[in-house]
Amino acid sequence: EAQVTQNPRYLITVTGKKLTVTCSQNMNHEYMSWYRQDPGLGLRQIYYSMNVEVTDKGDVPEGYKVSRKEKRNFPLILESPSPNQTSLYFCASGRVSYEQYFGPGTRLTVT
Amino acid sequence: GESVGLHLPTLSVQEGDNSIINCAYSNSASDYFIWYKQESGKGPQFIIDIRSNMDKRQGQRVTVLLNKTVKHLSLQIAATQPGDSAVYFCAENSNTGNQFYFGTGTSLTVIP
């Protein structure tokens, strides 16, 4: 089944404790992206990647890192999470940027 | 930065009626627009897209209209069904084409 998977789906952590949210797609897509979704703000793009080893900042990249060592994986790294990073995170992939398939989301709470 | 906004945050329609969801965008250089549907607890799902060189595009029960003069986008859903209840987002691409900006969403409720 063609899909975008994210892990974990739910995570509660404390301020400053490094964490990684994994994203994997099995559709051989070149484009991958991370978004955060907050009430009243919609989805905001954090980082995106056009292909392996190519990543670019989105609208809200501060406090996040990404890597694209393989085509199928695009992990989101929070080196020192803070409470303002509490949010619902979505990974997406697509053959091109305008054909994005979204994962199920990861709900992160930073206390 | 870009701004993509919606005229109405919530919309309630009777089952069987047509729904119209509106969206305003600010970047006249955007050349690609997409409507997404997000059901509760799920990620956004692609509905329909339109390029800037088009005014209208139709899908199955959905139509997207683009008015570049006033930078306005709308999604029309014909014969709205309970399964159409969701939050709908419009999105536009950036000048480079690779970054996308989403609106804040409109919550559509279909009344049986």
Side-chain angles (χ1 to χ4, degrees), chain A residues 9-54:
Chain A
R9 295 289 314 279
Y10 302 90
L11 178 61
I12 300 174
T13 190
V14 296
T15 299
K17 185 177 182 181
K18 180 180 178 179
L19 66 92
T20 299
V21 183
T22 65
C23 174
S24 182
Q25 51 94 3
N26 62 1
M27 296 169 279
N28 201 36
H29 287 161
E30 294 188 345
Y31 184 90
M32 296 188 75
S33 183
W34 275 103
Y35 296 85
R36 61 178 289 173
Q37 185 173 31
D38 302 289
L41 297 176
L43 286 98
R44 293 179 292 168
Q45 198 167 28
I46 303 171
Y47 271 95
Y48 63 96
S49 169
M50 298 298 295
N51 212 328
V52 176
E53 301 293 359
V54 180

Side-chain angles (χ1 to χ4, degrees), chain A:
Chain A
E1 179 189 356
Q3 59 183 351
V4 178
T5 57
Q6 298 179 224
N7 282 293
R9 295 289 314 279
Y10 302 90
L11 178 61
I12 300 174
T13 190
V14 296
T15 299
K17 185 177 182 181
K18 180 180 178 179
L19 66 92
T20 299
V21 183
T22 65
C23 174
S24 182
Q25 51 94 3
N26 62 1
M27 296 169 279
N28 201 36
H29 287 161
E30 294 188 345
Y31 184 90
M32 296 188 75
S33 183
W34 275 103
Y35 296 85
R36 61 178 289 173
Q37 185 173 31
D38 302 289
L41 297 176
L43 286 98
R44 293 179 292 168
Q45 198 167 28
I46 303 171
Y47 271 95
Y48 63 96
S49 169
M50 298 298 295
N51 212 328
V52 176
E53 301 293 359
V54 180
T55 62
D56 286 290
K57 295 179 180 179
D59 219 18
V60 288
E62 295 77 19
Y64 305 94
K65 286 175 58 177
V66 292
S67 68
R68 188 89 183 275
K69 294 184 171 59
E70 314 163 88
K71 184 180 273 192
R72 65 181 294 127
N73 296 322
F74 191 46
L76 179 70
I77 303 156
L78 284 72
E79 295 271 3
S80 183
S82 62
N84 64 12
Q85 292 179 297
T86 292
S87 187
L88 179 58
Y89 291 86
F90 288 101
C91 180
S93 75
R95 186 176 53 84
V96 290
S97 63
Y98 46 86
E99 291 181 0
Q100 295 185 50
Y101 296 87
F102 284 78
T106 295
R107 187 166 293 282
L108 172 66
T109 302
V110 183
T111 62

Side-chain angles (χ1 to χ4, degrees), chain B residues 32-45:
Chain B
Y32 210 91
F33 304 89
I34 307 172
W35 280 101
Y36 286 92
K37 172 186 180 183
Q38 186 177 25
E39 296 174 279
S40 181
K42 296 183 179 180
Q45 179 183 8

Side-chain angles (χ1 to χ4, degrees), chain B residues 11-77:
Chain B
L11 178 65
S12 296
V13 298
Q14 291 287 339
E15 181 177 358
D17 287 351
N18 297 334
S19 303
I20 299 177
I21 301 171
N22 296 304
C23 178
Y25 65 94
S26 61
N27 183 9
S28 56
S30 294
D31 63 357
Y32 210 91
F33 304 89
I34 307 172
W35 280 101
Y36 286 92
K37 172 186 180 183
Q38 186 177 25
E39 296 174 279
S40 181
K42 296 183 179 180
Q45 179 183 8
F46 174 92
I47 302 174
I48 191 168
D49 57 9
I50 189 168
R51 287 196 175 274
S52 60
N53 61 355
M54 303 171 69
D55 297 322
K56 179 179 179 179
R57 189 161 189 226
Q58 288 184 292
Q60 190 174 16
R61 282 202 307 118
V62 295
T63 300
V64 55
L65 299 178
L66 176 62
N67 185 330
K68 293 180 287 294
T69 302
V70 295
K71 289 188 268 188
H72 183 267
L73 193 67
S74 69
L75 176 70
Q76 301 178 1
I77 304 173

